[in-house]
Amino acid sequence: MQYSEAKERYIEAWGSLGSSWGVNRTMAQIHALLMIATEPLTTENIMEELKISRGNANMNLRALLDWGLAKKVLKPGERKEYFVTDKDPMVLATQVAKERKKRELDPIIKLLEEVSTVQGGNEEAKEFRKVTADLKGFAKQADSVLNTFIQSNANWFFKILGKLTR
Amino acid sequence: MQYSEAKERYIEAWGSLGSSWGVNRTMAQIHALLMIATEPLTTENIMEELKISRGNANMNLRALLDWGLAKKVLKPGERKEYFVTDKDPMVLATQVAKERKKRELDPIIKLLEEVSTVQGGNEEAKEFRKVTADLKGFAKQADSVLNTFIQSNANWFFKILGKLTR
DNA sequence: TATAATTTTCAATAATATTTGAAAGTTATG
DNA sequence: CATAACTTTCAAATATTATTGAAAATTATA
């Protein structure tokens, strides 16, 4: 396969995969581009490569910075901002896990804490308490696992696999 | 908190959480409703509770069936279809993991297999091969962990936590 | 088989999310 | 401080996705 074709397919696939790790298509594509770049890219580079507007490029770059998935680098003597991403997939996974935990898991645990205190002795209230309490317990376990993951090192997967299959 | 308020907040939260596990809002809300229901629900029950159209209810119920997150039950002597969901959060997590692996992870591994064979000796091609090979390796590890999860029992989280913190 | 009950489909519509592009804002430099 | 280089903002336009509702299809029953 030719480089240009491979690159195109990879960027497109990464973009549509984006929604599965909670970011929009363009944001994921910019990330994909940074992953395979051999040196830091400017907003203009990204606009050209992905054929998107300046505003779009800017907004999604800021979102990537916000997620901790890209950072600015400065070149001495230049005013332009350059962007890079960490190329280690484990760092990517860790950052995504961290952000999604913060944005999704923490709020749902908080909500379940609240609603599972619902009053009432009728069947519906009882069932509601049971289900929401179960979900809360599960969410907290997931939270523990994520925390362990976020804090641990790059061999996490290997460790788990080793231990589980022992 | 009153039951009606708790229920409303829980359903709404579950709905907006939906996108984080890859399903749309209404689908997640129907699932939420089935989770706290004390008995099987009909399409009409769901239309009323969520104030949605018949077509919408039908489409999303079918999607839930497709994901293995709901199933039909028949009541003897009745023509209407009733729906239930498994109330164990671990079963939910397992089903979601299974479907998302199939829909997202498997295709990306396949794509990475292909594009990482890109030809060329220039710096860009080399970098591309390295990055996509790393991603592929990572994706395969994730795949292994998911397979273990899907096949294993409900104490998975406890086991891992115990082992990791040992 | 005709009728009634129920489910499914899908084109039209509505709602939501993303993108553009030009103007406004910011910052470095002569 | 004036200008140029660059970045950010945001209202309007576009694109995408979800929803409706009525007609068509299906299925059970008399």
Side-chain angles (χ1 to χ4, degrees):
Chain A
M1 191 184 295
Q2 290 304 304
Y3 175 68
S4 57
E5 185 197 345
K7 179 176 176 179
E8 214 165 284
R9 290 228 278 147
Y10 153 77
I11 287 176
E12 177 168 330
W14 208 248
S16 47
L17 192 66
S19 62
S20 72
W21 40 284
V23 308
N24 78 37
R25 205 175 59 101
T26 302
M27 185 172 157
Q29 288 185 335
I30 294 176
H31 181 261
L33 203 53
L34 291 174
M35 283 288 280
I36 60 171
T38 56
E39 50 190 301
L41 301 181
T42 62
T43 302
E44 302 236 326
N45 294 151
I46 291 161
M47 289 165 59
E48 278 168 30
E49 290 266 14
L50 300 180
K51 304 203 178 356
I52 59 175
S53 71
R54 182 175 303 283
N56 196 8
N58 183 265
M59 295 239 293
N60 285 106
L61 274 168
R62 280 195 297 107
L64 283 172
L65 295 176
D66 191 43
W67 275 70
L69 292 174
K71 58 183 183 188
K72 290 183 183 177
V73 295
L74 309 169
K75 290 199 180 180
E78 289 210 43
R79 280 183 60 182
K80 265 205 274 291
E81 293 177 331
Y82 288 78
F83 298 90
V84 293
T85 192
D86 198 303
K87 298 198 172 191
D88 181 350
M90 183 56 69
V91 174
L92 166 62
T94 305
Q95 279 306 122
V96 171
K98 193 187 285 180
E99 285 299 316
R100 297 195 58 175
K101 174 175 136 46
K102 188 170 77 194
R103 291 164 199 239
E104 293 158 10
L105 194 56
D106 293 353
I108 199 74
I109 288 175
K110 191 160 164 296
L111 179 100
L112 289 169
E113 300 272 11
E114 285 176 38
V115 300
S116 61
T117 66
V118 68
Q119 297 301 302
N122 58 338
E123 196 190 357
E124 285 177 348
K126 281 182 191 168
E127 179 70 8
F128 188 88
R129 274 196 295 274
K130 177 170 180 359
V131 169
T132 53
D134 285 354
L135 286 172
K136 185 175 68 182
F138 182 78
K140 284 187 167 180
Q141 286 173 43
D143 187 63
S144 295
V145 171
L146 279 181
N147 285 332
T148 303
F149 173 59
I150 290 166
Q151 287 160 22
S152 76
N153 65 45
N155 289 317
W156 190 82
F157 276 122
F158 289 123
K159 279 190 185 168
I160 285 185
L161 276 182
K163 286 180 174 180
L164 278 180
T165 55
R166 193 163 293 156
Chain B
M1 191 182 292
Q2 290 304 305
Y3 175 67
S4 58
E5 186 197 345
K7 180 176 175 179
E8 215 166 283
R9 290 228 277 147
Y10 153 76
I11 288 177
E12 177 169 329
W14 208 248
S16 45
L17 192 67
S19 60
S20 72
W21 40 283
V23 307
N24 78 36
R25 205 175 60 101
T26 301
M27 186 173 156
Q29 288 185 337
I30 294 176
H31 181 261
L33 204 54
L34 292 173
M35 283 289 279
I36 60 171
T38 55
E39 51 190 300
L41 301 180
T42 63
T43 302
E44 303 234 325
N45 294 150
I46 290 161
M47 290 166 59
E48 279 168 29
E49 290 265 14
L50 301 181
K51 302 196 178 3
I52 59 175
S53 72
R54 182 175 304 282
N56 196 8
N58 184 265
M59 294 240 292
N60 285 108
L61 274 168
R62 280 196 297 107
L64 283 171
L65 295 176
D66 192 42
W67 275 70
L69 292 174
K71 58 183 183 188
K72 289 183 183 177
V73 295
L74 309 168
K75 289 199 182 182
E78 289 209 43
R79 278 184 62 183
K80 265 205 272 292
E81 292 177 332
Y82 289 77
F83 299 90
V84 293
T85 191
D86 198 304
K87 298 199 173 192
D88 181 349
M90 183 56 69
V91 174
L92 166 62
T94 305
Q95 280 306 121
V96 171
K98 194 187 286 180
E99 284 301 314
R100 297 195 57 176
K101 174 175 137 46
K102 188 171 74 192
R103 291 166 199 238
E104 293 158 11
L105 194 56
D106 292 352
I108 199 74
I109 288 175
K110 191 161 165 295
L111 179 100
L112 289 169
E113 301 271 11
E114 286 176 38
V115 300
S116 62
T117 66
V118 67
Q119 297 301 302
N122 57 337
E123 196 189 358
E124 286 176 346
K126 282 183 189 167
E127 179 69 9
F128 188 88
R129 274 196 295 274
K130 176 170 181 358
V131 169
T132 53
D134 285 354
L135 285 172
K136 186 176 68 182
F138 182 78
K140 284 188 168 178
Q141 286 173 43
D143 188 63
S144 295
V145 171
L146 279 181
N147 285 333
T148 304
F149 174 58
I150 289 166
Q151 287 161 20
S152 76
N153 64 44
N155 289 318
W156 191 79
F157 275 122
F158 288 123
K159 280 189 185 168
I160 284 185
L161 276 181
K163 287 180 175 180
L164 279 179
T165 54
R166 193 164 295 157

